């Protein structure tokens, strides 16, 4: 029997409802967006499968109070499908070059995968993973935008004006290990690095490839406590 105060239970209900609301808003946004079919289908599958805790975590990471937004505009998911909503989504997709960016990221991911399978990566896989995530998500936070500006000189973007992911692929294919090390050194001392690392851990945890973590609280031992540790250590 749940003996928590009613206001705590109500807060939990609101959070669950807000996560479902945000999922519907995202799904409808993708549905009306002028995206390539493969981008739309892959994104919609991801939205449907994402657990609510990741949706809430990413909303928090982007400084988006989805609970307050849900309370203020509970009908937004339907409003997105209106003519005005569709027009706004179209403008956003075009202004942020969503389709070209998705195509670039898809191409880079396939290239990295091929190089990895043939043991031809010019840097450790975890370094490349971290750098690709940092470059692809830079527009999500002010710190990320600052990081991109600081990597321009390493990526040589001033000369060609390509997207940073294109420049990064050139570094990989050219086996320019020193520049990859320079990017990694810059990222490792940048505040944006922690934000990126948290997102990677969250996705790996969802995919089941991140080792579980345990928080140990010291207190009086009980038979139940001993049984819990026995199950953890023996896999029971």
């Amino acid at each position: 029997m749940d003996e928590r105060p009613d206001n705590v239970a109500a807060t939990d209900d609101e959070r669950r409802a807000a996560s479902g609301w945000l999922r519907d808003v995202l799904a409808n946004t993708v549905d009306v967006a002028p995206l390539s079919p493969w981008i739309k289908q892959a994104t919609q599958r991801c939205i449907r499968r994402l657990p609510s805790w990741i949706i809430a975590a990413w909303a928090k990471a982007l400084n988006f109070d989805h609970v307050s937004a849900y309370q203020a505009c509970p009908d937004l998911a339907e409003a997105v499908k209106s003519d005005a909503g569709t027009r706004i989504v179209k403008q956003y997709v075009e202004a942020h070059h969503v389709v070209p960016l998705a195509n670039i990221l898809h191409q880079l991911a396939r290239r990295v995968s091929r190089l990895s399978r043939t043991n031809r990566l010019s840097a450790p896989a975890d370094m490349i993973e971290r750098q690709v995530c940092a470059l692809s998500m830079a527009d999500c936070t002010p710190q990320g935008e600052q990081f991109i500006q600081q990597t321009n000189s390493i990526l040589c973007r001033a000369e060609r004006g390509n997207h940073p992911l294109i420049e990064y692929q050139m570094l990989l294919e050219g086996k320019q290990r020193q520049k990859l090390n320079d990017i990694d050194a810059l990222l490792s001392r940048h505040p944006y690095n922690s934000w990126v690392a948290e997102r990677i851990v969250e996705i790996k945890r969802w995919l089941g490839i991140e080792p579980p973590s345990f928080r140990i609280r010291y207190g009086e031992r009980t038979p139940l406590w001993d049984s819990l540790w026995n199950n953890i250590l023996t896999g029971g």
Side-chain angles (χ1 to χ4, degrees):
M1 180 176 179
D2 193 348
E3 297 180 353
R4 295 177 301 171
D6 291 341
N7 61 334
V8 175
T11 299
D12 289 343
D13 290 341
E14 288 177 350
R15 289 174 180 170
R16 283 192 292 269
S19 294
W21 168 86
L22 183 53
R23 188 192 304 276
D24 291 341
V25 170
L26 293 173
N28 288 352
T29 298
V30 173
D31 191 47
V32 303
L35 302 172
S36 302
W38 75 267
I39 298 177
K40 181 173 294 192
Q41 293 169 5
T43 306
Q44 288 176 326
R45 284 197 302 270
C46 180
I47 292 172
R48 287 195 296 268
R49 295 174 181 176
L50 279 177
S52 295
W53 69 265
I54 280 193
I55 292 178
W58 274 67
K60 181 179 180 180
L62 297 174
N63 292 320
F64 175 56
D65 187 349
H66 65 302
V67 176
S68 295
Y70 161 66
Q71 294 170 340
C73 192
D75 298 328
L76 182 59
E78 293 302 317
V80 167
K81 297 190 293 185
S82 67
D83 291 342
T86 300
R87 184 168 59 253
I88 293 172
V89 170
K90 181 176 183 295
Q91 293 171 350
Y92 180 89
V93 168
E94 293 175 350
H96 289 79
H97 310 290
V98 173
V99 175
L101 176 58
N103 289 331
I104 293 169
L105 186 57
H106 180 62
Q107 179 183 5
L108 176 58
R110 294 181 62 182
R111 181 59 178 164
V112 170
S113 179
R114 285 196 296 269
L115 291 173
S116 178
R117 288 197 302 269
T118 56
N119 296 317
R120 290 186 295 137
L121 287 176
S122 51
D126 59 338
M127 177 193 292
I128 295 175
E129 174 187 82
R130 186 168 59 250
Q131 292 177 355
V132 170
C133 289
L135 294 172
S136 61
M137 297 188 294
D139 290 341
C140 294
T141 71
Q143 291 180 344
E145 294 175 352
Q146 183 187 65
F147 169 73
I148 282 291
Q149 292 175 358
Q150 295 174 355
T151 57
N152 282 347
S153 59
I154 303 175
L155 294 169
C156 300
R157 292 188 61 217
E159 298 176 4
R160 295 186 290 266
N162 291 327
H163 190 279
L165 288 175
I166 294 179
E167 297 290 342
Y168 186 79
Q169 184 169 336
M170 292 179 182
L171 295 186
L172 283 179
E173 294 176 343
K175 297 184 178 180
Q176 300 189 43
R177 177 62 183 269
Q178 184 56 52
K179 288 194 173 183
L180 296 175
N181 288 340
D182 291 343
I183 293 175
D184 202 61
L186 174 62
L187 180 60
S188 64
R189 62 176 181 266
H190 200 284
Y192 178 54
N193 185 43
S194 297
W195 190 92
V196 173
E198 289 172 359
R199 306 291 79 75
I200 293 175
V201 167
E202 288 164 354
I203 290 298
K204 286 186 175 181
R205 187 178 303 157
W206 172 46
L207 295 175
I209 56 179
E210 179 71 12
S213 59
F214 299 97
R215 292 184 176 89
I216 300 177
R217 296 181 179 178
Y218 295 95
E220 182 181 354
R221 292 183 61 169
T222 65
L224 180 60
W225 179 256
D226 291 339
S227 175
L228 171 64
W229 275 105
N230 181 66
N231 289 335
I232 290 175
L233 297 174
T234 64

